[in-house]
Amino acid sequence: MKIELRNLTKSFNNKSNTINNLNLTIEDGEFVALLGPSGCGKSTTMLMIAGIYKPNSGEVYFDGQIVNDLEPKDRNIGMVFQSYALYPHMTVLDNIAFPLKQQKVAKEERYEQAKQTAEMVQLGHLLDRKPGQLSGGQQQRVALARAIVKKPKVLLLDEPLSNLDARLKIEMREEISRIQRELGITTILVTHDQEEAMTMAHRIAVMKEGHLIQYSNPMELYNKPKNYFVAQFVGTPPMNFLRGTLSSVDKKSNVRINELIIDVTDTLLDSYAGEKSQDVNVGIRPHDLKLENDGDICIEGTVSLIESIGHSQMVNVKVGNEYIRCFVEPNIKLEYGSAIMLTANIEAIHLFDAATGESLKKHNVETFIYN
Amino acid sequence: MKIELRNLTKSFNNKSNTINNLNLTIEDGEFVALLGPSGCGKSTTMLMIAGIYKPNSGEVYFDGQIVNDLEPKDRNIGMVFQSYALYPHMTVLDNIAFPLKQQKVAKEERYEQAKQTAEMVQLGHLLDRKPGQLSGGQQQRVALARAIVKKPKVLLLDEPLSNLDARLKIEMREEISRIQRELGITTILVTHDQEEAMTMAHRIAVMKEGHLIQYSNPMELYNKPKNYFVAQFVGTPPMNFLRGTLSSVDKKSNVRINELIIDVTDTLLDSYAGEKSQDVNVGIRPHDLKLENDGDICIEGTVSLIESIGHSQMVNVKVGNEYIRCFVEPNIKLEYGSAIMLTANIEAIHLFDAATGESLKKHNVETFIYN
Amino acid sequence: MGTVLKRWKFPAIMLGPFVILIFLFFFLPVILIAIIAFTNMDSAMNWTFNGLTNFHKLVTDPNIVQIIKNTVLYLGFTLLINVGFGLALGILTTYFVQKESVGLVFRTIWMLPRISPPVVYALLWLWFFDPSAYGVLNSLRALVHMSPVDWLTTHPMTAIILANGVIGASYGMIIFSSAIKSIPRDLFQAAMVDGASHWAIIRDIIVPAVRWPLMFVTLWQFLSLLTSYEYILLLTKGGPLFDSEVLALYSFHSAFKNFEFGYGAAVSLVLVIVALLFSFVMWKFFRMEKMLGSSKIE
Amino acid sequence: MEATGYQKLTIPTIHPVSKWKKRIPYLVAYGILGITTLPIILMYVWLLLSSFSKKMKFGFIPTSFTLENWSFLWSNVEHGGSELPSIWTATWNSFVFAGSLTILEVIIGIMAGYALARIEFTGRQTIMKMTLLLHAFPSVALLIAVFYILNFMGLFDSIWGVVLVKTALQIPMTAWIVKGFFDDVPWDVEWAGMIDGCSRFQVWYTIVIPLIKPGIAAISIFSFLSGWSEFLLLYTFTVSDNNVTLASYLQKLISDPNMINYGLLSAVSLFYMLPVLVFFIFTQKSLMQVSAGGGKRV
Amino acid sequence: TNGNESAASQAKEPEVVTIKAQTAGAEITRVDNLVAASEKLNKELQDQGENIEVKVETNSFSGSWDDYAKQFMLAFQAKKEPDIYATGHENIGWLADGHYILSLDDLKKSKEYKDVVPTLWKAAEYKNHIWGALQDTEARPVFYNKDILKKLGWSDEQINSLPEKVKQGEFTLEDMTNLAEEAKSKGAAQFGIVHRPVEGPDFQALAYDFGGKVYDASANKIVFDKKAVAKQLNYYYEIAQEQLIPDNLTSIQWDNIHKMVVNGQTLFYYGGIWNVFNWSQGNFHDQLGKVDAKWVNEHFGMMLIPAAEKGGKPLTLSHPFVYTVSAHTKHPDLVKRLLELVADPELQADHAIKTAHLPVTKSGEENPDFKADITLGNVAYMSDYTTFLPNSNGFPKYSKAVFSAIQAVELGKKKPEEALKDLEVQLKNDLGDQLQIIE
Ligand SMILES: Nc1ncnc2c1ncn2[C@@H]1O[C@H](COP(=O)(O)OP(=O)(O)OP(=O)(O)O)[C@@H](O)[C@H]1O
Ligand SMILES: Nc1ncnc2c1ncn2[C@@H]1O[C@H](COP(=O)(O)OP(=O)(O)OP(=O)(O)O)[C@@H](O)[C@H]1O
Ligand SMILES: [Mg+2]
Ligand SMILES: [Mg+2]
């Protein structure tokens, strides 16, 4: 099912719009992740696609057909609610079998399928429990099983794995991906786990305050954030930013960060026609920083915080008055307050207009073709 | 407040124990994370510490005093419930101010503090809303604010950040850590985000089916898992395992994995007195595998799956009939099906008895001293 | 057109039977009564309009002051017992008594008055207040060597208020305990962790959660009491003299003892106007329109 | 410690509390319940005793045991010179009346209550206000007017006419109570139901209704009770003698104040109360087990 | 041939005419007698060659008289009322005014009703028409306790002649009060006098006794005879002040009244002969439980209400029951014939004996079975001293208001003068121009 949102607007009160003129197209069988800060309107968008909320204006199309007035039950959707929304009076098995019951699947068959799905989410031993007797993660898995059991045309997953432990999460991810692929279900996933979004989704839509900010495939989003907001939002740990000034001397542009001057023409900018110097945010991802001194750019700083996360150390480095984060191999011993030299490849640098937030970096015009 | 759990047992029905003879000591001002698979009894443990569930047997001590019969209200606890449990008829502000009201803080003062805390969780603009009008993440932040507003002696956080976006999560983490540190609040955190547990907690308790499996500081847990369960549970992505056989020839022990023979005496094992050969699981963390061929151990395989996660590529490699995962720099081009050679340091290898799951690796006897 | 039909279909089906029933057997009769109030309909059941005669008669009635005084007393105190004690019972039997079966026993006992036939219930109270030394109250007095008192003659209003209060309290009890049962458990847990004492849980969790039934019971019982007279009729018949006659009983006496249907209707109409005023005040006071939240399915 | 914005903590000390101190609120609660409940228990014990004894010493202590008062159970007893109808016929009739009333009222009530709680349409408030205000009319005052309506519809002297009238008189209450319970049902389960393939109507009856079981317990006990004890309407709007109910059976026992047999009256009253008691306990037991809990509520 | 056939089938199956008859209370002989009468009627019809069979459907209402009246009103509007409606005579007023019933003037002339105790017709008359077929009447005597009088030293002879002395006007109301006082002061009885605790006709008997008038039939107005009512109130005030009656008499339950009387706690009791029947049904006596008529006769005497002044006329009040005929009835002629047949002396006597009432015709009183009844035989003469309540629809309001006034003076809440003044205001208010005041 191809889903199109056109000029969708939704407001809960008359003061402001929660969803603001949203346009989004999801191809048939595509897996899209919705990313955005808490409260930006992801759940609301999902609920509009599901048909629970009616948009104040704009249209929702399924396969080119306008469905604004189609009842949720006729949309053939499976959904995991952020709040699970399990039926408290039904057992786990009945909860999972419920969508099938609505499709008038024969009783035996229905329970058979529900049991299989329950096994899939590793709940086979809890079929007779009521939701109130389950742990948080178990409840969430019931919600997941209920969403997929009827093999819907559209799957809406609102943080379906947030309460699962790391191992289970990976297993569930794989299950979801498998079903999605096998059945070609058009899927929308809201998640705060960026790795999840990156690995599972074909495309990622980044939202902010009800607007769509960027919509592209994971790598493009990661490597070519459209603006400052996307850059700082995508990637864990987030991109480091240093304030700098972009200016042009003899047709050669450079960025000055404190004493550091980085030559940016050709490599980064298409051309910089600016006459006056301009404030910019210079972004470098922590993973792009290396503890060497032979890269394109060398940044000097002092170690201010070291955190061990097992496979490496996360180090906060003070550069001028700003802080940046980088990763260091676990076997390297660092001391608080000691000077440190970090290098990065020039390609790893991102430039954003400090005033508008727009990216200034040259991007090859690549269009993502989904297959 | 020092918290001790002694021989704690809890069961919801007469069939099996949800919590089974649990012993756990949390020092005053310590920050402990509870880790474990979904449904292992983390929330139940928390609720027993809070005094909501009464243990079937065993005692809870606060500062050496038995508190089994102390009412929750007298325990001076702040708690984020996994289900949030916000008061639906109160506004955000009233929800947050509620614990202060119970302490008979004057009205003005109470709202003043509640507002500050709301600001801290970035909800300053939503004070007049009812929980039903908030997004999932906003609700969770209200729950968090409510838990910390009264500056309790004990803070119980049951997945307090699961529904927050990456950026906010980091900020909230920092806030929690700061408050915890400043006020010396004894804190227990349940989380499924291992990075969260690793960076925030002084010690981590790993649970499984109501038992405490390992309780040590994060790095020890990561580097010296006590048994197979902890090893495979801790670390994202999880540790790779290959099946092997441990045997002893001429007082020299070695592990054989397919054709690969790894010499393990001295370096890994204290001494191996086994006469007969023994099945073992050999574990190597994905981050410990390098795409070179000059390490202590070389493993050959074929590339079976490549996933891009931004700052690197996650590669599944088929070794014999098993799969292992490793990370590769994003700029290296790999092809599906091509042969690949991975190396690892001998120190990075973990050995577990295939039958009992116990770790066979020699661990320097280090005791963690909390400061 | 189509969308209008679609929008109204569901509410129309759901509310249809309700509205039709009420319209036919409640609304229309009320209109008829309002008309009858301006007639001198009597046993011959003729509709002869007589203007404001009935109302004139009412205001010049020599007993009306006493009746109104009784009505106010009766209403105020009985309502207090009904709602206050009903809520207390609801909380006691569901929140404090944690064993469901024990709570049920208490609730069942409190239901007894309500499920007794009114005559029998009245009989029990008559026995309680019996003027002879064998009455319950009097035998208690006898224990401390006090002479028996004819309670129903000396304190008719107290007796009526008590008897009605006990019945009404069970009404509140059932509704409140059901509502309390519907509160999710984790709210209590959260409140306990937040340091709430029992009193605070009652005030801040239970009462707000049952505010709709609370408000409803208050308003409904107020109106019920205003228009009820059954137990008064059985206990004291409004007597001695007019000492316990209330407006509703007076309306009943006029209509069905004297067969002055017109006058009876006029008395009820006055009752209704009083009720209207009070309900309006309470509607505002409880801020009821706020409780009609908007739909979250669109 | 003394850092930013946080005032210094007063460190609470934990006292080793005795279990008793913790139990004080519960003891007080039980105390209040016990003391207030005692008079009621006494009253009904008296009723029970007087049904089984020939005479009461001091009107209180039974002197001789007899089953005579209960003989109406196996034979048609004579009272005041004429034979009373069979108690079982009366019981059956009461059961049919109360049963159909309960079913009708609960169904229409929860339909309307849902509409009032959960569906947005213009006139919602007006309906709520109207139904409340109608209650301000004393129902006796309406008898005459209702009679005209029933007569017009040809439903006078029909038991179904009375069922409709009774339903109409009570349905506002039911709808109001039930609305409160619907209000507390989380929206998200309703959403989930719709997505899982239910129409709004199906969601209502498969998902929402089971969640307000305590509310249904409350209203069904009240409607059953009121149907069971209904007397006035049946008495006023039916003339044929073939509809004897328990209430009218009881009326036969007390209609002549010169000839009340108190022993028989007690026995019949107890018999009369029994089915409601059973119904009450049954509904409480089966419907008060709430299944709320689990998940986060929206 | 067709006509013949149908005639033949008609001959086989007569046309059934159903007549519905209703009464209230336990005295179901009132309607059962109609069934018996219908058998006679059917025989008569057969003899006359009419192919009609009358069937009487009976029903007995249980509930208050007010409800009984209300039900008839409603049923009449819905055309579901009974053809024959048996009720107290005082209802004739509103029934006739509301055009509910047919006038039955012919009945007075019929042979069955020829020998009706003459004063009784007054009870069925309203606006110069007869509206009801008299069904029964009763006596409301004053019961006196023989045992107590014995304790006071009366001889059997004296005791048994008391009714006669009353009849002659020798024993006055004042004497009765004094005797009651004596019994009480000497401790022979706990109370001197007991009267009914609730509103009822008895109280008006006292007004009549004091020479008062309650109703002006020609003007169809309720009369407020202030002088008589003042005396009436005074009487109750005095017996209360002197504590001859129990405290709070008007709030005592009926069964306790019966217990007081049967157990000999009071010397006098303003009762009704049907009480004898009541006492045989309920366990009122402390030791004996139910007591039969014979026992009652041994322990109680019955007398008229003594005259207010020496030589004056004693009286009683009765409350005849009548059959009224619905204005909607489809068979007025058959109904009337039925009503004639039901006046059969035997049927009357049967009813009278079973329910402790009096027949309305002389031939009924002459019935040997009736005469043989120890209680009834003794009081049959009272019909000649009887008075009635008015048939006006304003009367219930009057009665209620007077009862309230009596209650007020008995409780000592008001002095008789005050009560009288308030009563006047109340009556004016309640009755308006239906009221006529005699100073
Ligand atoms: N009320 C209950 N009745 C019966 N079993 C229960 C009840 N509550 C929890 N359980 C069971 O107890 C076990 C532990 O539950 P608990 O909520 O402590 O798990 P958890 O570790 O918090 O899991 P999660 O990470 O999924 O939240 C689970 O298997 C759960 O099904
Ligand atoms: N019923 C409501 N009334 C008013 N405002 C609402 C309502 N529901 C949601 N909102 C607001 O709309 C905004 C978007 O909410 P939504 O639930 O879509 O956020 P979200 O993107 O899902 O956030 P999260 O990641 O925290 O779940 C939020 O600011 C929220 O406060
Ligand atoms: Mg959301
Ligand atoms: Mg949990």
Side-chain angles (χ1 to χ4, degrees), chain B residues 52-78:
Chain B
I52 287 169
Y53 286 162
K54 297 268 167 287
N56 293 50
S57 69
E59 299 90 39
V60 178
Y61 292 84
F62 278 15
D63 279 343
Q65 303 255 302
I66 190 162
V67 293
N68 281 30
D69 287 321
L70 196 66
E71 299 258 353
K73 74 181 168 72
D74 300 323
R75 299 192 183 198
N76 199 358
I77 282 176

Short mmCIF file of all heavy atoms in Angstrom, two decimals, chain B residues 52-78:
data_model
loop_
_atom_site.label_atom_id
_atom_site.label_comp_id
_atom_site.label_asym_id
_atom_site.label_seq_id
_atom_site.Cartn_x
_atom_site.Cartn_y
_atom_site.Cartn_z
N ILE B 52 5.79 -1.38 48.08
CA ILE B 52 4.45 -1.59 47.54
C ILE B 52 4.11 -3.07 47.54
O ILE B 52 3.03 -3.46 47.95
CB ILE B 52 4.37 -0.98 46.14
CG1 ILE B 52 4.35 0.53 46.32
CG2 ILE B 52 3.14 -1.47 45.40
CD1 ILE B 52 4.53 1.29 45.09
N TYR B 53 5.03 -3.87 47.10
CA TYR B 53 4.83 -5.30 47.27
C TYR B 53 5.53 -5.71 48.56
O TYR B 53 6.60 -5.21 48.88
CB TYR B 53 5.48 -6.08 46.11
CG TYR B 53 4.75 -5.99 44.80
CD1 TYR B 53 5.41 -6.32 43.62
CD2 TYR B 53 3.42 -5.59 44.73
CE1 TYR B 53 4.76 -6.26 42.40
CE2 TYR B 53 2.76 -5.53 43.51
CZ TYR B 53 3.44 -5.86 42.34
OH TYR B 53 2.79 -5.79 41.14
N LYS B 54 4.90 -6.61 49.26
CA LYS B 54 5.57 -7.17 50.44
C LYS B 54 6.23 -8.48 50.02
O LYS B 54 5.59 -9.30 49.37
CB LYS B 54 4.56 -7.45 51.55
CG LYS B 54 3.86 -6.22 52.05
CD LYS B 54 4.60 -5.61 53.25
CE LYS B 54 4.08 -4.22 53.55
NZ LYS B 54 4.51 -3.18 52.56
N PRO B 55 7.51 -8.66 50.39
CA PRO B 55 8.15 -9.92 50.02
C PRO B 55 7.48 -11.09 50.74
O PRO B 55 6.98 -10.93 51.84
CB PRO B 55 9.59 -9.74 50.50
CG PRO B 55 9.56 -8.61 51.46
CD PRO B 55 8.40 -7.76 51.10
N ASN B 56 7.47 -12.22 50.08
CA ASN B 56 6.93 -13.42 50.75
C ASN B 56 7.86 -13.84 51.88
O ASN B 56 7.42 -14.31 52.91
CB ASN B 56 6.79 -14.57 49.76
CG ASN B 56 5.74 -14.27 48.72
OD1 ASN B 56 5.77 -13.22 48.12
ND2 ASN B 56 4.80 -15.18 48.54
N SER B 57 9.15 -13.70 51.63
CA SER B 57 10.08 -13.92 52.73
C SER B 57 11.31 -13.07 52.46
O SER B 57 11.48 -12.56 51.36
CB SER B 57 10.43 -15.39 52.86
OG SER B 57 11.21 -15.78 51.76
N GLY B 58 12.17 -12.95 53.47
CA GLY B 58 13.35 -12.13 53.30
C GLY B 58 13.08 -10.72 53.80
O GLY B 58 11.96 -10.36 54.10
N GLU B 59 14.17 -9.95 53.89
CA GLU B 59 14.03 -8.61 54.46
C GLU B 59 14.63 -7.54 53.57
O GLU B 59 15.53 -7.80 52.80
CB GLU B 59 14.74 -8.52 55.83
CG GLU B 59 14.21 -9.46 56.88
CD GLU B 59 14.95 -10.78 56.84
OE1 GLU B 59 16.18 -10.75 56.62
OE2 GLU B 59 14.30 -11.83 56.98
N VAL B 60 14.12 -6.35 53.73
CA VAL B 60 14.70 -5.17 53.11
C VAL B 60 15.22 -4.30 54.24
O VAL B 60 14.51 -4.06 55.21
CB VAL B 60 13.64 -4.40 52.31
CG1 VAL B 60 14.24 -3.15 51.70
CG2 VAL B 60 13.03 -5.30 51.24
N TYR B 61 16.48 -3.90 54.14
CA TYR B 61 17.06 -3.02 55.16
C TYR B 61 17.36 -1.67 54.54
O TYR B 61 17.89 -1.59 53.44
CB TYR B 61 18.36 -3.60 55.71
CG TYR B 61 18.18 -4.84 56.52
CD1 TYR B 61 18.10 -6.08 55.90
CD2 TYR B 61 18.10 -4.78 57.91
CE1 TYR B 61 17.92 -7.24 56.64
CE2 TYR B 61 17.93 -5.94 58.66
CZ TYR B 61 17.84 -7.16 58.03
OH TYR B 61 17.67 -8.28 58.76
N PHE B 62 17.03 -0.64 55.25
CA PHE B 62 17.47 0.71 54.88
C PHE B 62 18.40 1.16 56.00
O PHE B 62 17.98 1.20 57.16
CB PHE B 62 16.28 1.69 54.83
CG PHE B 62 15.49 1.63 53.55
CD1 PHE B 62 15.63 0.59 52.65
CD2 PHE B 62 14.60 2.66 53.24
CE1 PHE B 62 14.89 0.56 51.49
CE2 PHE B 62 13.85 2.62 52.08
CZ PHE B 62 14.00 1.57 51.20
N ASP B 63 19.64 1.46 55.68
CA ASP B 63 20.61 1.87 56.68
C ASP B 63 20.61 0.90 57.85
O ASP B 63 20.61 1.31 59.02
CB ASP B 63 20.28 3.29 57.19
CG ASP B 63 20.81 4.34 56.22
OD1 ASP B 63 21.67 3.99 55.38
OD2 ASP B 63 20.37 5.49 56.30
N GLY B 64 20.58 -0.34 57.56
CA GLY B 64 20.67 -1.35 58.60
C GLY B 64 19.38 -1.64 59.35
O GLY B 64 19.32 -2.55 60.16
N GLN B 65 18.37 -0.84 59.11
CA GLN B 65 17.09 -1.04 59.79
C GLN B 65 16.15 -1.85 58.89
O GLN B 65 16.02 -1.55 57.71
CB GLN B 65 16.41 0.31 60.04
CG GLN B 65 17.24 1.25 60.84
CD GLN B 65 16.73 1.35 62.25
OE1 GLN B 65 15.59 1.69 62.47
NE2 GLN B 65 17.57 1.01 63.20
N ILE B 66 15.50 -2.81 59.50
CA ILE B 66 14.57 -3.58 58.70
C ILE B 66 13.34 -2.72 58.42
O ILE B 66 12.82 -2.05 59.30
CB ILE B 66 14.22 -4.90 59.43
CG1 ILE B 66 13.45 -5.82 58.50
CG2 ILE B 66 13.41 -4.65 60.68
CD1 ILE B 66 13.47 -7.26 59.02
N VAL B 67 12.93 -2.69 57.18
CA VAL B 67 11.81 -1.80 56.83
C VAL B 67 10.65 -2.56 56.19
O VAL B 67 9.77 -1.93 55.61
CB VAL B 67 12.26 -0.67 55.88
CG1 VAL B 67 13.21 0.28 56.57
CG2 VAL B 67 12.88 -1.23 54.61
N ASN B 68 10.66 -3.84 56.32
CA ASN B 68 9.56 -4.61 55.69
C ASN B 68 8.18 -4.02 55.99
O ASN B 68 7.30 -4.03 55.16
CB ASN B 68 9.58 -6.06 56.18
CG ASN B 68 10.64 -6.86 55.48
OD1 ASN B 68 11.66 -6.29 55.08
ND2 ASN B 68 10.41 -8.14 55.32
N ASP B 69 8.03 -3.53 57.21
CA ASP B 69 6.72 -3.04 57.59
C ASP B 69 6.57 -1.55 57.50
O ASP B 69 5.56 -0.99 57.92
CB ASP B 69 6.39 -3.50 59.01
CG ASP B 69 6.10 -4.99 59.03
OD1 ASP B 69 5.43 -5.44 58.08
OD2 ASP B 69 6.54 -5.67 59.95
N LEU B 70 7.55 -0.90 56.95
CA LEU B 70 7.46 0.55 56.81
C LEU B 70 6.61 0.86 55.59
O LEU B 70 6.78 0.29 54.53
CB LEU B 70 8.87 1.13 56.64
CG LEU B 70 9.02 2.63 56.86
CD1 LEU B 70 8.75 2.96 58.31
CD2 LEU B 70 10.41 3.07 56.47
N GLU B 71 5.71 1.79 55.78
CA GLU B 71 4.84 2.17 54.67
C GLU B 71 5.65 2.87 53.59
O GLU B 71 6.62 3.58 53.90
CB GLU B 71 3.78 3.15 55.16
CG GLU B 71 2.89 2.60 56.24
CD GLU B 71 1.55 2.19 55.67
OE1 GLU B 71 1.29 2.47 54.49
OE2 GLU B 71 0.78 1.58 56.42
N PRO B 72 5.25 2.71 52.33
CA PRO B 72 5.97 3.39 51.26
C PRO B 72 6.13 4.89 51.53
O PRO B 72 7.17 5.46 51.28
CB PRO B 72 5.09 3.15 50.04
CG PRO B 72 4.29 1.95 50.36
CD PRO B 72 4.15 1.89 51.83
N LYS B 73 5.07 5.48 52.06
CA LYS B 73 5.13 6.93 52.23
C LYS B 73 6.21 7.35 53.23
O LYS B 73 6.67 8.48 53.19
CB LYS B 73 3.78 7.46 52.67
CG LYS B 73 3.39 7.18 54.11
CD LYS B 73 2.00 7.75 54.38
CE LYS B 73 1.44 7.27 55.71
NZ LYS B 73 2.07 7.84 56.88
N ASP B 74 6.59 6.44 54.11
CA ASP B 74 7.60 6.80 55.10
C ASP B 74 9.00 6.44 54.65
O ASP B 74 9.94 6.58 55.42
CB ASP B 74 7.28 6.11 56.42
CG ASP B 74 5.92 6.53 56.95
OD1 ASP B 74 5.58 7.72 56.78
OD2 ASP B 74 5.19 5.68 57.49
N ARG B 75 9.14 5.98 53.43
CA ARG B 75 10.46 5.54 53.01
C ARG B 75 11.26 6.62 52.30
O ARG B 75 12.40 6.43 51.96
CB ARG B 75 10.35 4.32 52.10
CG ARG B 75 9.69 3.14 52.79
CD ARG B 75 9.83 1.87 52.00
NE ARG B 75 9.13 0.79 52.69
CZ ARG B 75 9.32 -0.50 52.46
NH1 ARG B 75 10.18 -0.87 51.53
NH2 ARG B 75 8.65 -1.41 53.11
N ASN B 76 10.60 7.74 52.02
CA ASN B 76 11.24 8.84 51.31
C ASN B 76 11.88 8.39 50.01
O ASN B 76 13.08 8.47 49.81
CB ASN B 76 12.26 9.53 52.22
CG ASN B 76 12.58 10.92 51.70
OD1 ASN B 76 12.07 11.33 50.66
ND2 ASN B 76 13.42 11.63 52.42
N ILE B 77 11.04 7.90 49.16
CA ILE B 77 11.48 7.36 47.89
C ILE B 77 10.89 8.18 46.75
O ILE B 77 9.78 8.68 46.85
CB ILE B 77 10.99 5.89 47.78
CG1 ILE B 77 11.88 4.99 48.63
CG2 ILE B 77 10.94 5.40 46.35
CD1 ILE B 77 11.44 3.57 48.65
N GLY B 78 11.66 8.31 45.71
CA GLY B 78 11.10 8.86 44.48
C GLY B 78 11.14 7.74 43.46
O GLY B 78 12.10 6.99 43.40
#
